[in-house]
Amino acid sequence: MSVVTNTTTIGAIDAPSRRNTELMLMVFAIAISVFAYANVGLALDGKLPSGMFGYGAGLILLGGVAHLIVRKFARYADPLLLPLATLLNGLGLVLIWRLDQSPRLIRRAEILYGVFTPSAPRQLMYSAIGVALFVGVLLLLKDHRILQRYTYISMVVALFLLILPMFFPAKFGARIWINIAGFSIQPGEFAKIIIAVFFAGYLMVKRDALALASRRFMGLYLPRGRDLGPILVIWALSILILVFETDLGTSLLFFGLFVIMLYVATERTSWIVFGLLMSAAGAVGVATFEQHVKSRVNAWQDPFACFSTDTSGACEQIGNAIMSFGSGGTLGSGWGQGHSDLIGFAANADFVLATVGDELGLAGMMAVLLLYGLIVERGIRTALAARDPFGKLLAIGLSGAFAIQVFVVAGGVMGLIPLTGMTMPFLAAGGSSVIANWALIGILIRISDTARRPAPTPAPSTDAEMTQVVRP
């Protein structure tokens, strides 16, 4: 006797895209930024600022376009990354506009340069270019694994960008800018993304040799001499950047990024130990002989001891920043009520966090640092969810670069480490920084879309449609 039964094939359940969650968070992010803008205007002039509606409309336009592109071309992407970047960018515009209203900074610029040029309109223009690049990344980069084809081309391009500032005049004591048609560009901001692509592609191929071929000594796995070559080259290049460009921030970012990705690829703690020892040796050696780095180390050790004698301005800036944090206390003096403009020309760039500490206090600082921490956390979560090793390494590299940049800038402003010449992502005035960081967020969103996308349904098999059971 034979019995024929029909079986049903259960299709893959479509995972929620979370795009409506992202939309609600975007509305929340824009509302907070507009509220902050209104607060600054009320504190300074006692009335709503005339440009508030234009500012709000601009943010809605930029955020709306970015959200629609994500909804259409990266449906399963992480729902938090875009709102977090929008909120930080919006708050950064408010902080820069608030410092543009400072009579002290206006008078200082007129004395030094003969004219005062507000930074907020340029920052809004750079933010629009950054969002356009973000859109371009999502439209052109359909699959992040395509970047693996350009591993060694990425290395050449990144080295070219890192070396290029050596041929341009120093600015504020460091060679990190190039001037093209009246615009200053900081190539290191773009190099950090491109070098992460190279490290991800290189380590994906070499990670087994780096992880397995080693000797154990005093609890550490020592790599073979032939495997030490790449890290020695990267270390030497970092030192060259530090010596010739006097750029402590890019040097730390560059070397720290490589060590983090090397550790993730090999899971060997010894790489972290080697990285820290080599980084410390290089920093101490260069700080001993390079006057610009030496003055920043002296300012870090005791800013008030050299407050009136230091000619580089580092002691005065750090000293005023520390007093701004002290003036803000726990809850801050309120939007527009602080005195961080005493820091001078760097108030809206390297030291924009001092304005946060002064006007929003310790609570505001913790909230802003939490926003950065959430971006890093979502990047790491994306790396854990990625299904391909290249995507994992690239997501870790981009998240690591973002975290290192936040740490070296925040640590320098708060006196934890010597001051660097980098900008706080999204908050500080700087075209290269905001454009490059929007591109970084775009690549992370593309990787997260691939990682969260449901696996394709297997092709139907004719044998699976009907099962014949034969009973004796």
Side-chain angles (χ1 to χ4, degrees), residues 254-435:
F254 186 43
F255 191 69
L257 172 62
F258 183 65
V259 172
I260 288 175
M261 295 182 72
L262 195 56
Y263 170 69
V264 172
T266 63
E267 299 180 3
R268 295 292 192 195
T269 312
S270 53
W271 288 114
I272 297 288
V273 176
F274 280 120
L276 291 175
L277 290 176
M278 295 169 75
S279 181
V284 170
V286 174
T288 306
F289 301 104
E290 176 57 46
Q291 186 56 41
H292 179 71
V293 179
K294 190 176 181 179
S295 64
R296 295 203 164 192
V297 172
N298 290 336
W300 165 61
Q301 290 175 330
D302 191 353
F304 298 104
C306 55
F307 197 92
S308 58
T309 58
D310 177 57
T311 56
S312 68
C315 292
E316 182 184 352
Q317 290 172 349
I318 294 181
N320 280 324
I322 292 173
M323 287 190 281
S324 294
F325 288 120
S327 174
T330 304
L331 298 177
S333 53
W335 285 103
Q337 302 295 308
H339 300 283
S340 61
D341 51 358
L342 285 167
I343 296 172
F345 71 93
N348 61 3
D350 303 19
F351 286 87
V352 72
L353 268 185
T355 306
V356 177
D358 192 346
E359 302 191 354
L360 302 183
L362 179 63
M365 276 292 295
M366 292 299 103
V368 168
L369 293 179
L370 181 62
L371 295 178
Y372 285 115
L374 281 173
I375 290 181
V376 175
E377 188 269 339
R378 303 310 291 189
I380 295 173
R381 186 183 288 264
T382 296
L384 293 174
R387 296 166 186 155
D388 62 294
F390 177 77
K392 286 181 183 293
L393 284 172
L394 183 56
I396 281 290
L398 295 176
S399 306
F402 194 85
I404 292 172
Q405 185 165 351
V406 170
F407 171 74
V408 297
V409 179
V413 173
M414 291 188 282
L416 184 64
I417 61 173
L419 185 65
T420 66
M422 303 188 76
T423 54
M424 203 68 182
F426 293 117
L427 277 192
S432 306
S433 176
V434 72
I435 294 171

Side-chain angles (χ1 to χ4, degrees), residues 45 78 80 101 113 125 127 134 154 192 211 234 254 269 325 363 402 408 434 441 446:
D45 302 322
D78 188 293
L80 286 182
Q101 311 306 308
Y113 311 112
M125 179 188 71
S127 301
F134 169 87
S154 301
K192 71 182 180 188
I234 299 299
F254 186 43
T269 312
F325 288 120
F402 194 85
V408 297
V434 72
I441 295 294
R446 171 55 68 208

Side-chain angles (χ1 to χ4, degrees), residues 11 41 44 49 60 62 73 86 90 130 153-154 162 170 177 185 204 285 293 296 353 377-378 385 417 420 438:
L44 293 176
I60 291 171
L62 294 179
F73 296 98
T86 303
I153 294 177
S154 301
L162 287 171
W177 288 277
I185 300 172
M204 204 193 77
V293 179
R296 295 203 164 192
L353 268 185
E377 188 269 339
R378 303 310 291 189
I417 61 173
T420 66
W438 270 114

